[in-house]
Amino acid sequence: MPTFDWSIVARYGPTFLEGAATTLAVSVVSTLIGVGLGFVTALARLSPWRPLRAAARAYVEVIRGTPLLVQLFFLYAALPLYGVRLSATASGVVALSLYTGAYAGEIFRAGLTAIHRGQVEAARSLGMSYGQTLRRIVAPIMAALVLPPLTNEFTGVIKWSSLLSIVTVPELTFAAYRAIGETYSAVEPLLVSGLLYWCLNDLVVAAGRGLERRLTRHLA
Amino acid sequence: MSAEPVLRIEALRKAYGATEVLRGIDLAVARGEVLCVIGPSGSGKSTLLRCINFLEEPTSGLVYLDGEPIGYRLDAAGRRVRDAARRINALRQRIGIVFQAFNLWPHRTALGNVIEALLVVRRQRRAEAEAVGLAMLERVGLADKAHEYPARLSGGQQQRVAIARALAMKPEIMLFDEVTSALDPELVGEVLKVMRGLAADGMTMVVVTHEMGFAREVADRIVFMDGGVVVEEGRPAELLTRPQNERTRRFLARLLAPAGA
């Protein structure tokens, strides 16, 4: 009967922690970019200008319809053929951002559609510009609506970032593979990395819940 | 006082596709006048109000505020040309509107709702804006609710906050779009009381309403609309008791008849 080899955990502990830090950093940056991209995408999808709507929709459909792994390889391996060379980490962040942007775009679109037209009209009728209305009225009302699904999305990004190991980004799963390759034991590295992913996502969920409390004070 | 009315509406038409909602409206509202607009639902009353502050773009015709066309400039040949967004926003500040559905912003307190445009549009300092905001809430009898969020207020209170929010911009004219229609009957009175106060203070008002008692008592003039046109207008006592037009007569008869009769 196989026993759990704690020495592997001890030996590769620092590698795992560095990997987890990279996973968190890559995920946070990609989520931030993706959220910005998603907001713009949602605005574009609701724009009265047809070409803009079509472009935003095409973006969402391509990203949603193809595997993240394929998108990642395209950025890392195919783009250099066209003269665009990105580092492993850069292509990973770009791929995850684009991926998150498409999904966040749909979340934001739902949030924007849920805002009463009347609340926007009230702002415009007082002389507020489109931009002022967006910043002061639409964005904060929407934030409270979309935070739960966005938190969900963020936990997804943390897990999807494991695919970045395949293009050699030294994140958590990459660390696990390294440990497996060097020790020929799969159980310990995979369990440890799984636990660390869970911890990271617990952090995300806790942060999301805190922010949600702040943003929904007015609904109490 | 100049002869120019505060609000002048000329040959106003509004169509959505093939459906013409407004079919040529001409109206003028003098400074300090309270004009009530009555008529069956679908007669174009709300669309008329929304065209006045350019929430809806008229298909043709013009609305003038103090002689200035709203939403358009006139070119040398006298044709309408869409105005710059900045000028439209500036004109809107001078026209207050209160909606049937209140439309308060849920993430701002009562006071926050009232001062938002003062902070963002007028760029007033917060302390200055709050002083104005509290005075406005005082005026609608809600100073004690200044720090409550809309979700904690009754419908009547929310609507009074909405009135305070519009008043804070010191508009030259106030538009009311069936502001008591969404309220429980026992809350209608508190809102009408505020509106009576405004009328008594000399505010120029255009009030779309189904409250005939209010129209009779407060209006200087009543306009009856049906099918996108002004069918009849006159002083309340005349129009409500001796309507000249058959459509007005039928509308009033239906409205004043006991339910089920």
Side-chain angles (χ1 to χ4, degrees):
Chain A
M1 179 171 167
T3 51
F4 194 90
D5 185 353
W6 288 100
S7 74
I8 295 179
V9 180
R11 192 145 28 105
Y12 286 95
T15 313
F16 276 118
L17 289 180
E18 275 167 39
T22 305
T23 289
L24 186 63
V26 163
S27 303
V28 167
V29 172
S30 304
T31 302
L32 289 178
I33 299 174
V35 162
L37 199 57
F39 190 53
V40 174
T41 305
L43 289 179
R45 289 206 65 172
L46 297 170
S47 152
W49 197 45
R50 190 194 290 263
L52 197 59
R53 276 205 312 269
R57 197 172 149 193
Y59 159 59
V60 170
E61 296 206 337
V62 167
I63 297 293
R64 215 164 40 171
T66 60
L68 176 56
L69 190 59
V70 172
Q71 295 161 19
L72 184 60
F73 265 116
F74 179 81
L75 289 172
Y76 186 64
L79 273 191
L81 304 178
Y82 301 98
V84 181
R85 201 169 297 276
L86 297 174
S87 74
T89 307
S91 51
V93 167
V94 171
L96 269 182
S97 302
L98 287 173
Y99 194 76
T100 313
Y103 284 89
E106 289 300 281
I107 293 172
F108 280 128
R109 187 161 69 98
L112 287 173
T113 325
I115 291 180
H116 294 291
R117 216 179 104 139
Q119 288 166 351
V120 172
E121 288 182 343
R124 300 307 304 273
S125 76
L126 292 163
M128 287 168 73
S129 69
Y130 176 83
Q132 288 169 335
T133 306
L134 207 57
R135 236 181 11 258
R136 303 280 304 194
I137 307 299
V138 172
I141 296 177
M142 187 189 58
L145 296 173
V146 300
L147 197 67
L150 275 185
T151 305
N152 202 31
E153 184 70 20
F154 193 6
T155 62
V157 173
I158 295 231
K159 289 175 290 180
W160 297 320
S161 70
S162 62
L163 287 177
L164 269 50
S165 62
I166 291 167
V167 296
T168 72
V169 175
E171 44 70 77
L172 186 48
T173 298
F174 189 79
Y177 278 136
R178 204 183 116 195
I180 293 171
E182 290 174 12
T183 62
Y184 302 109
S185 318
V187 174
E188 292 84 355
L190 285 179
L191 268 179
V192 171
S193 74
L195 273 174
L196 283 171
Y197 275 112
W198 191 4
C199 290
L200 288 180
N201 270 335
D202 247 17
L203 277 178
V204 169
V205 170
R209 218 177 274 140
L211 202 56
E212 198 180 327
R213 257 197 299 277
R214 258 183 65 96
L215 288 177
T216 55
R217 260 178 318 195
H218 59 276
L219 300 175
Chain B
M1 190 197 221
S2 72
E4 176 70 34
V6 178
L7 186 74
R8 188 155 51 85
I9 300 170
E10 272 182 13
L12 189 70
R13 285 175 177 271
K14 175 66 184 177
Y16 300 95
T19 319
E20 224 183 3
V21 182
L22 297 178
R23 300 188 300 157
I25 303 277
D26 292 273
L27 267 179
V29 182
R31 194 169 302 282
E33 187 178 20
V34 177
L35 178 73
C36 281
V37 182
I38 62 172
S41 60
S43 57
K45 308 178 302 276
S46 289
T47 308
L48 173 67
L49 282 197
R50 296 167 57 83
C51 280
I52 292 175
N53 71 354
F54 216 64
L55 283 178
E56 302 284 347
E57 287 186 39
T59 310
S60 67
L62 278 171
V63 179
Y64 297 86
L65 181 69
D66 278 328
E68 269 180 87
I70 298 172
Y72 302 97
R73 297 179 284 110
L74 296 179
D75 69 8
R79 281 183 305 250
R80 350 179 277 184
V81 185
R82 184 80 144 75
D83 218 339
R86 262 187 42 209
R87 284 193 25 100
I88 295 172
N89 294 338
L91 265 166
R92 281 199 179 122
Q93 295 177 41
R94 295 161 54 190
I95 307 170
I97 185 165
V98 184
F99 303 92
Q100 181 176 349
F102 327 141
N103 297 341
L104 293 184
W105 303 309
H107 62 303
R108 295 268 188 268
T109 60
L111 184 60
N113 267 273
V114 176
I115 66 173
E116 181 72 19
L118 296 178
L119 297 175
V120 176
V121 180
R122 294 269 161 85
R123 302 193 181 286
Q124 290 185 4
R125 277 195 306 273
R126 181 166 285 274
E128 193 186 339
E130 281 183 351
V132 175
L134 283 170
M136 292 302 147
L137 285 173
E138 182 84 47
R139 193 162 172 192
V140 299
L142 286 174
D144 57 325
K145 301 286 183 190
H147 301 291
E148 296 282 2
Y149 285 102
R152 301 279 291 263
L153 300 175
S154 74
Q157 291 168 338
Q158 288 189 52
Q159 193 60 296
R160 286 188 282 152
V161 173
I163 293 174
R165 177 173 69 177
L167 288 176
M169 297 298 279
K170 304 235 159 32
E172 290 166 48
I173 182 167
M174 286 282 287
L175 312 175
F176 294 87
D177 189 4
E178 297 194 28
V179 296
T180 57
S181 298
L183 294 177
D184 291 337
E186 75 268 25
L187 302 178
V188 169
E190 61 189 72
V191 173
L192 293 182
K193 186 177 155 212
V194 168
M195 291 167 66
R196 274 193 200 96
L198 286 179
D201 289 345
M203 175 63 80
T204 311
M205 295 160 63
V206 179
V207 185
V208 169
T209 187
H210 291 295
E211 297 289 335
M212 291 306 141
F214 176 83
R216 182 192 304 268
E217 181 196 334
V218 180
D220 296 304
R221 193 156 49 106
I222 297 183
V223 162
F224 172 69
M225 278 180 71
D226 194 12
V229 295
V230 171
V231 173
E232 187 171 351
E233 62 174 282
R235 294 155 64 90
E238 290 157 19
L239 190 132
L240 293 178
T241 49
R242 287 187 300 278
Q244 300 301 305
N245 190 288
E246 179 54 33
R247 278 145 88 191
T248 320
R249 221 169 291 156
R250 260 186 314 193
F251 172 75
L252 289 173
R254 242 197 335 269
L255 202 70
L256 302 174

